[in-house]
Each structure stands twice: as structure tokens, then as C-alpha cells.
Amino acid sequence: MNIPLFPLNNTRQHRREWLTGAIDMLPLCLAVVPWGILAGSMAVQSGLTLGQSIGMSAIVFAGAAQLVTLGLLMSGASVLTIMLSVFFITSQHFLYGLTLREYAASLAGRQRLALGFLLTDELFALSGSRRAGPGLSVRYLLGAGLTFYIGWVLFSLLGIVMANAVPNLDHYHLDFSIVATFITLVVPMIKHLSTLVGVLLSLLLSMLLSVLQIEGGIIIAGCSGMVCSVLVSKLGGKKS
């Protein structure tokens, strides 16, 4: 049976699922406006052409990976360094995929590929809250994912345009939106003591390692927090 990539249907229920996904994603789209602008402006500052700058946001579609890649490009880092850095920064997507595997296994291959491309921290956070409530649907995820994708490309384009009109946008600390966005995503997920301990340890350790200027401090802090969270969970049982 031929299953369409985007399962459009004229029924009111199906249209509502698409619209609900788009509406639920809108607040997160607004939260990353400064982040997108910064990514677009940094692309221009790093020497990329207009087409390359737009293509990076449209094809890579990974805010943290884009910012790190552009920063490394401007510092003259090697291709291998960039590839390894991006791999570790985006490695959480393996966990996202495994978490959604049970749901996605029943979807057509083209639908899984589409969701895999659109899967971001924001979409994963929405999927978690949706699983705990009215349940997931491919239309909901595609509606939310496409909304965020379009927003990210448009915000990046705005940053590309502003790069020439407003120089040195990186001096305005627009990257604070990254912190604000992840706080919005992480806080609702803290429902157990083990999660709280892991988040606090990651936060404190990342600040300490940053002050000490230890290379790879964010990765070390994140991995340490996850290990600590698992240990606390095992010691305290599921109720922790």
C-alpha cells in the first residue's frame, strides 16, 4: 500500500492535528529568534556566500551545531575537529531516536525520514508532553516540525540580512536565547530527584569548567550529569 509522505486528509480531525502541532511549536519558535539571527549573521562573518549561508540553515538545521561549526571555521579549525565536535554536540539525537523508536516503527520509511530530519530538541520536548497527554500522531509531529523548520530558516535569513546592516551582532549576546530555550525545555522534564541531581551537577560543572577554560567542558559536564542521574536513580529506585 502506498502511504503518502505527508498524510494529508480532509477530515477535521486530521487538520486539527496539523494545526495543533504548529500552534504548540510557535512559542518555541519565538524563543529562538535571537539564536537564528545570530546563526545567520555568523555565517556571513565566517565568509560564507548568501547561498551557502541560507543552505547551511536549510540543510544542516541544527542551531548548536551551526554556531559551533561557524566558530571553528573562523578560528581556522580543521575539518576533522569540526566533524568530531558536531558529532558529540548532536549525539543526543541518538537518544531521541531510541525514545521515539517504538512509535516511529509503525510509520512508513518516508515518514520516518521526514521526522528524523525535523527532529530537534524542541520537537522531542513536545513529543514527550504529547505522549503523556492525548497521544502522538504523525500529523502533529510534522505540523510542529515544519513550523519550527520554516521559522529557523526565516530567522537565519533575517540574521544574514542584518549582518551587513548591523555589524558585530555577536557582541549583543544573542546567544543567551540558547540558554533560555534549553531552560524552557529542561525544567518541565524534571519530575524525579535523579533528574534534578543530574541537571544541577551538569549546570554547576559546566560553569566551573568554563571558568577553568577546560576544552570540551560542556560535553564533560553533560556526560557527568547523566552518569550521576543514573546512579541516583539506581540507588533510590524508580520512586527517586
Side-chain angles (χ1 to χ4, degrees):
M1 182 174 64
N2 186 22
I3 302 176
L5 175 59
F6 301 106
L8 292 171
N9 194 294
N10 291 325
T11 66
R12 181 178 300 177
Q13 175 63 30
H14 292 169
R15 291 197 300 270
R16 186 183 297 118
E17 290 174 3
W18 277 83
L19 184 59
T20 301
I23 292 174
D24 287 352
M25 183 59 80
L26 283 178
L28 293 175
C29 287
L30 295 176
V32 297
V33 171
W35 193 352
I37 292 175
L38 180 61
S41 65
M42 282 186 64
V44 175
Q45 293 172 22
S46 66
L48 298 184
T49 65
L50 175 63
Q52 290 171 336
S53 300
I54 297 174
M56 187 177 194
S57 289
I59 298 172
V60 177
F61 186 41
Q66 288 178 226
L67 293 178
V68 169
T69 298
L70 293 170
L72 291 174
L73 278 175
M74 288 188 285
S75 66
S78 66
V79 174
L80 180 60
T81 300
I82 294 173
M83 291 177 63
L84 288 175
S85 300
V86 171
F87 174 80
F88 284 110
I89 288 171
T90 58
S91 59
Q92 78 272 16
H93 283 78
F94 290 114
L95 298 177
Y96 295 167
L98 289 172
T99 303
L100 294 173
R101 180 181 179 182
E102 183 177 353
Y103 166 76
S106 61
L107 302 177
R110 288 172 294 178
Q111 294 174 350
R112 293 199 300 270
L113 286 174
L115 289 177
F117 175 74
L118 295 173
L119 184 58
T120 57
D121 301 308
E122 291 78 7
L123 185 59
F124 180 74
L126 281 184
S127 72
S129 61
R130 193 74 177 178
R131 287 197 306 273
L136 280 177
S137 75
V138 67
R139 300 172 189 85
Y140 176 86
L141 291 175
L142 288 173
L146 283 171
T147 299
F148 192 78
Y149 175 75
I150 294 171
W152 177 256
V153 174
L154 290 177
F155 301 147
S156 299
L157 180 59
L158 180 60
I160 294 170
V161 173
M162 291 179 64
N164 296 321
V166 185
N168 299 321
L169 277 173
D170 54 321
H171 293 168
Y172 292 90
H173 301 289
L174 298 179
D175 51 347
F176 177 75
S177 67
I178 301 175
V179 179
T181 300
F182 278 101
I183 289 175
T184 303
L185 297 177
V186 170
V187 170
M189 295 183 179
I190 302 177
K191 300 178 180 178
H192 304 285
L193 177 60
S194 56
T195 307
L196 177 61
V197 172
V199 169
L200 290 178
L201 178 64
S202 297
L203 175 63
L204 296 174
L205 197 56
S206 63
M207 290 190 294
L208 175 62
L209 295 178
S210 296
V211 171
L212 297 176
Q213 297 183 346
I214 295 179
E215 203 169 323
I218 298 298
I219 297 174
I220 295 172
C223 292
S224 301
M226 287 188 287
V227 171
C228 181
S229 181
V230 171
L231 291 175
V232 172
S233 179
K234 288 185 176 296
L235 290 174
K238 293 183 178 180
K239 293 183 180 181
S240 64

